[in-house]
Amino acid sequence: MLPTAEGVRLARAGSERWLVVKGDPEKLWPVVKEFWQENGFLIRVEMPEAGVMETDWAENRAKIPDDVIRRTVGRVIDGMYSTGERDKFRTRMERGAEPGTIEIYITHRGMVEELTGSGVTKEVDSSKWMPRPADPELEAEFLSRLMVRLGVEQERAKAVIASGAATAERAKMVKTAAGTATLELYEPFDRAWRRVGVALDRTGFTVEDRDRSKGLYYVRYIDPATDGGAKSEGFLSKLAFWRSEPKMDLSKLPQYQVQVTDIKDTSRVQVLGKDGAPDASDTSNKILGLLYNQLK
C-alpha cells in the first residue's frame, strides 16, 4: 500500500533526521524515484535489493543570480552560466524497527569548482572539481519536500523538520594492541548503526549489502577524484560535463566490511577486509578517518 500523511513521521537522534513511513517498499520505491525526477535530478544508481537510490550530479541553479545579464545569456544557452557548485543525493531505504514501516534517509554530497593555473599573467582556462562538506540543511530541505510528496501539508512538514535541537555527538579513535584502528562511539548500537549508515552515504561509499544482526555493512569506496572530480577545460568541456555520466563498474573497486559492535551503552566501529579479518592497511585507516569526521 502507498503511505498516507498519517503514516509519515520524522524521527530524530541527535543531529540525524530520517523519515519513518508506513507502507510497502515495492510501492514506495517508484514514488521516491519520481520525487527526485520531479525535482530535476537524473537517477544514476538504483539498487532496490540494497535499498539505495542515488542521483547524478546536478548544479544548484537556485544560486545563480537573476540579473539582466543572466536573463539575457540564459535565453541563448543556459549552460554558459555556472554556479561552480554541484550536488548529488543518496536515498537509503530499509525496513524499520516497527513492523510495516520503512526508514528513509537522505544524504548529500557536494563538489566545488576550483580554477587551476597560477601567476598574474597566466591565463586560467581550466578547472577541477573538489569535494565540499555535506550540507545537513539541504538534506533537511529534501526530507521536508519528500514529506510533502507523501501527503504531509507543506507548513507542517517544514515545522516538523525545523523542530528540536541537535545534541552533541562524541566519538574517539582508538589503536588496538594488534595495531589496527577502531572508532568508539558513546551511544548504543541502534543509534550507532543508524549514524554509521548515514556517514557511509555522506562520504561516498556504496553500500552493496548490510546485515544488521551481525552489525555489518558491505561497502566499496568511490574516490571523489574518479566520481565527478575530473578536470574541466574550457567552454565546450563545460557543456559536455553536464551530460549524464557513465555508470561506474563497482566490481573493480575493493570491497570492505564496516562492522558496528554493541558494547553495553557504547559501540565500536572497525574496518574488516573482504575475508572478514581486521584490516590494518592505510586504506582502512583512511576509511575510519572519513567516518570519524562525520561521527565525532
Side-chain angles (χ1 to χ4, degrees):
M1 63 177 178
L2 289 173
T4 62
E6 293 74 21
V8 180
R9 66 179 176 84
L10 181 79
R12 186 164 188 160
S15 61
E16 308 299 339
R17 289 168 284 199
W18 66 96
L19 300 185
V20 179
V21 181
K22 290 183 179 179
D24 299 323
E26 294 79 8
K27 293 184 178 179
L28 185 60
W29 184 270
V31 175
V32 174
K33 181 177 179 179
E34 288 176 4
F35 163 77
W36 286 114
Q37 293 171 333
E38 290 166 358
N39 278 274
F41 291 89
L42 299 175
I43 303 299
R44 185 184 182 193
V45 175
E46 283 192 76
M47 301 172 62
E49 66 283 358
V52 173
M53 182 186 303
E54 188 172 282
T55 72
D56 209 339
W57 290 105
E59 187 174 23
N60 187 345
R61 309 302 288 179
K63 291 189 175 182
I64 295 179
D66 187 22
D67 53 24
V68 175
I69 296 177
R70 163 75 184 101
R71 291 194 296 271
T72 304
V73 173
R75 282 194 289 268
V76 179
I77 181 166
D78 194 53
M80 291 178 65
Y81 206 106
S82 172
T83 64
E85 291 185 2
R86 57 186 183 135
D87 307 289
K88 75 187 313 183
F89 295 88
R90 179 178 296 174
T91 307
R92 181 162 50 86
M93 292 182 274
E94 56 184 67
R95 294 189 182 276
E98 303 171 24
T101 64
I102 305 156
E103 295 179 354
I104 304 177
Y105 303 83
I106 292 178
T107 49
H108 164 257
R109 290 178 63 204
M111 303 286 281
V112 60
E113 188 177 23
E114 294 186 357
L115 299 178
T116 59
S118 59
V120 177
T121 59
K122 183 175 179 179
E123 182 180 355
V124 178
D125 60 355
S126 62
S127 61
K128 61 181 179 179
W129 292 87
M130 302 295 293
R132 76 179 202 273
D135 188 338
E137 295 306 313
L138 274 177
E139 295 170 352
E141 171 63 24
F142 279 101
L143 277 175
S144 175
R145 292 187 189 185
L146 182 55
M147 290 182 75
V148 173
R149 180 63 173 80
L150 295 176
V152 178
E153 292 183 1
Q154 185 172 2
E155 292 305 315
R156 175 172 169 258
K158 288 187 175 296
V160 167
I161 290 289
S163 65
T167 58
E169 305 294 346
R170 294 184 299 162
K172 181 174 69 173
M173 190 84 78
V174 177
K175 281 283 186 179
T176 67
T180 59
T182 65
L183 277 179
E184 286 189 7
L185 305 184
Y186 301 106
E187 52 200 1
F189 174 82
D190 285 351
R191 187 168 173 183
W193 172 262
R194 237 183 265 118
R195 294 189 63 232
V196 169
V198 172
L200 288 169
D201 289 340
R202 282 178 174 165
T203 47
F205 292 87
T206 291
V207 179
E208 295 187 310
D209 201 0
R210 55 186 172 269
D211 186 339
R212 185 186 175 110
S213 65
K214 296 180 181 178
L216 289 174
Y217 287 98
Y218 299 86
V219 305
R220 298 183 194 268
Y221 179 63
I222 303 175
D223 192 296
T226 61
D227 185 31
K231 186 177 180 182
S232 174
E233 297 184 357
F235 173 65
L236 293 179
S237 293
K238 185 175 289 292
L239 293 182
F241 177 82
W242 293 112
R243 299 172 187 165
S244 181
E245 300 172 16
K247 293 186 177 181
M248 185 177 296
D249 185 358
L250 297 177
S251 65
K252 295 181 179 179
L253 301 174
Q255 188 184 69
Y256 296 90
Q257 299 176 26
V258 176
Q259 185 177 50
V260 185
T261 305
D262 185 9
I263 308 174
K264 293 185 179 180
D265 294 330
T266 64
S267 304
R268 178 184 299 137
V269 181
Q270 62 180 334
V271 178
L272 312 176
K274 188 175 182 179
D275 58 358
D279 192 302
S281 67
D282 290 340
T283 301
S284 172
N285 291 331
K286 180 180 179 182
I287 291 172
L288 276 178
L290 290 168
L291 291 177
Y292 174 70
N293 286 335
Q294 292 293 325
L295 297 169
K296 63 183 178 180

